[in-house]
Amino acid sequence: MNCMQCGFCLPACPTYRQTGLESHSPRGRIALMKGVAQAQLPADAEFAKNMYACLGCRACETACPAGVSYGSLLETAREVVEDQNKKTAKPSLLRRLVFEHVFPHPNRMKALGTVLWAVQALGLQRLATRTGWARVLPRALAEMQQAVEPVASPFIRGKRQQRMRAEGESLYTVGYFTGCVMDVLFFETNQATASLLAKAGCEVVFVGGQTCCGALHAHAGEKAWAVELAKRNIEAFEQSQVDFIVNSAGGCGAALKEYPHWFEDDPGWQKRAEAFAAKVRDASELLAALPPLSFTKELSARVTYQDSCHLAHGQGVRDQPRQLLNLIPGVEVVELEQADQCCGSAGIYNITHFDQSMEILDAKMEAVKKTGAHFIAISNPGCLLQMRQGIIRAGLTGKMEAVHLMDLLDRAL
């Protein structure tokens, strides 16, 4: 009800800029939500189409003078859509497989990671690309697989120690939230982040019993599963008794910090969620507050930074990644034009809405080209894959590298 229909959100919204349709703007979608909530409009296929056309980037929240929590509204609207769908038909096998049988189970995610490693190690990924076999995949996946770099082997993953000691005086004990996709596709980024935290004076614990953050479920209207996953994580980290809960994925971090909202109807769990969320920090957020990292060599390179939507708009973390980049000797940090505008990744939007996603990405890459950067630093795994894909599409392979901020800092050390 806080929405004043002022229109400040319109120029901030990627889908409104793309289509010019009021129903594809935050203001328009909120009007539709009100219509459904007041039983003036049905939660039909057209309503669902408009809700899922949204990237969920939350740039509108930054622009909104009334403080409308659009991200929460969108999650609830999609929950209504899915509840309505379940009344008329069973969820598809693929949907049940993804949301119920894969992401909630860390061991199954690790098994998929092992399969992917084997495919890459045997050269099947390169062979599929060279021979054109990859085209048997849906177009979105055929293009995206080119951006997936070699993943860590099960042997490397098996060497992880549960605890990483602080170098020098131990200032804090932090529990590391590994994430699901993050720990499969970007295992070494998680390890690099833990190493940076240890160098900055933190004892890092890889807490057992943790699972998927639930963001993917919440964004897809699977609220019951999101809540279940949140409970598992809260219980796991309560037992660890750490000072902070740290992650290096902007999307996961936003979900973790918003757990209290998911328990609005459950005061007991909400109190526990509030205690959990109060400890959550993005890795850049904590590192910027700790004694500065000691760099001994220069990294002669031009670097630009692309904001993760859920880190910038969802968590309000903007300055800290840039502060860390400016600590690296020899680095020239070049500001990217409209760095906080969505790259089009948006969870699985680049799969479900491929053409729209690529249009947004191609526009982003035009701004990236202007920077002349050698590296584009990113703080979210989905964005990292998307920007790697953007580099390929823009013909910048070999001239520019998309790299996670934590990997770049670790490389510079």
Side-chain angles (χ1 to χ4, degrees):
M1 297 303 295
N2 285 357
C3 180
M4 302 178 295
Q5 302 288 303
C6 67
F8 274 89
C9 60
L10 299 183
C13 177
T15 53
Y16 180 77
R17 291 198 309 271
Q18 198 176 39
T19 66
L21 296 173
E22 181 72 14
S23 59
H24 281 202
S25 74
R27 179 176 70 180
R29 291 189 183 101
I30 289 173
L32 292 172
M33 293 176 201
K34 283 183 180 178
V36 170
Q38 296 167 355
Q40 296 172 347
L41 292 173
D44 57 10
E46 185 64 23
F47 178 74
K49 177 183 175 183
N50 288 315
M51 294 305 110
Y52 278 103
C54 177
L55 292 115
C57 70
R58 299 171 62 173
C60 53
E61 291 188 23
T62 299
C64 180
V68 174
S69 298
Y70 177 82
S72 299
L73 294 175
L74 182 66
E75 287 178 2
T76 305
R78 289 179 176 176
E79 183 184 3
V80 169
V81 167
E82 296 309 323
D83 286 347
Q84 187 71 18
N85 288 343
K86 288 170 185 175
K87 290 177 183 177
T88 57
K90 277 189 175 182
S92 69
L93 177 61
L94 179 60
R95 185 179 181 89
R96 294 197 340 260
L97 184 67
V98 169
F99 291 119
E100 298 178 23
H101 300 293
V102 177
F103 280 92
H105 304 281
N107 288 336
R108 295 176 191 177
M109 289 295 295
K110 290 175 184 176
L112 284 176
T114 299
V115 171
L116 178 57
W117 167 79
V119 167
Q120 292 176 331
L122 293 170
L124 299 180
Q125 183 184 19
R126 291 192 303 273
L127 180 64
T129 301
R130 284 201 308 267
T131 61
W133 290 355
R135 287 198 294 269
V136 303
L137 295 170
R139 186 180 167 207
L141 294 178
E143 284 205 23
M144 187 179 295
Q145 61 86 25
Q146 299 178 67
V148 177
E149 295 191 348
V151 300
S153 73
F155 313 108
I156 291 174
R157 298 201 309 266
K159 291 180 181 179
R160 172 186 278 166
Q161 299 296 312
Q162 187 181 9
R163 189 175 292 265
M164 189 178 288
R165 301 291 179 185
E167 295 186 15
E169 181 187 359
S170 180
L171 303 175
Y172 299 107
T173 300
V174 302
Y176 195 88
F177 186 83
T178 58
C180 47
V181 172
M182 186 75 192
D183 213 36
V184 170
L185 296 184
F186 301 100
F187 175 87
E188 288 164 339
T189 300
N190 277 345
Q191 292 300 103
T193 307
S195 177
L196 290 167
L197 290 165
K199 285 181 170 68
C202 294
E203 185 167 344
V204 183
V205 182
F206 290 93
V207 176
Q210 60 177 292
T211 185
C212 172
C213 67
L216 184 64
H217 296 78
H219 298 162
E222 297 288 344
K223 187 67 175 291
W225 267 105
V227 167
E228 173 59 29
L229 295 171
K231 287 180 178 179
R232 293 185 201 173
N233 286 322
I234 291 168
E235 287 178 334
F237 281 89
E238 279 176 342
Q239 294 172 22
S240 69
Q241 297 182 333
V242 294
D243 299 310
F244 297 105
I245 300 166
V246 180
N247 72 95
S248 55
C252 293
L256 298 176
K257 288 181 178 180
E258 290 170 359
Y259 275 3
H261 167 70
W262 295 2
F263 293 100
E264 284 182 337
D265 298 324
D266 190 336
W269 271 103
Q270 187 177 48
K271 188 174 181 180
R272 295 169 71 177
E274 286 170 352
F276 175 94
K279 293 183 178 183
V280 175
R281 300 288 188 278
D282 183 75
S284 65
E285 197 176 4
L286 184 56
L287 283 170
L290 290 168
L293 296 164
S294 298
F295 295 92
T296 56
K297 295 180 181 179
E298 287 195 0
L299 180 66
S300 299
R302 180 178 290 181
V303 180
T304 192
Y305 178 72
Q306 159 70 17
D307 286 284
S308 153
C309 291
H310 284 86
L311 188 60
H313 302 301
Q315 301 182 59
V317 176
R318 296 170 178 268
D319 295 335
Q320 295 92 326
R322 293 170 170 84
Q323 290 168 12
L324 293 172
L325 285 173
N326 278 303
L327 289 176
I328 304 174
V331 160
E332 178 190 359
V333 180
V334 183
E335 191 62 28
L336 176 63
E337 181 183 334
Q338 298 180 321
D340 64 352
Q341 286 192 1
C342 187
C343 64
S345 172
I348 58 172
Y349 193 89
N350 52 3
I351 297 174
T352 60
H353 295 75
F354 178 75
D355 290 332
Q356 296 94 317
S357 172
M358 292 302 105
E359 187 178 325
I360 292 168
L361 175 60
D362 291 342
K364 171 67 69 175
M365 291 309 301
E366 289 302 313
V368 170
K369 285 179 185 178
K370 293 177 184 176
T371 67
H374 304 106
F375 296 101
I376 177 163
I378 299 152
S379 298
N380 189 60
C383 303
L384 182 52
L385 285 174
Q386 181 84 339
M387 295 309 294
R388 285 178 181 169
Q389 194 169 355
I391 287 171
I392 294 169
R393 289 172 64 90
L396 296 173
T397 303
K399 300 176 183 177
M400 177 184 290
E401 182 183 352
V403 60
H404 196 287
L405 170 65
M406 295 297 128
D407 285 323
L408 187 61
L409 290 168
D410 186 62
R411 198 181 299 184
L413 284 170

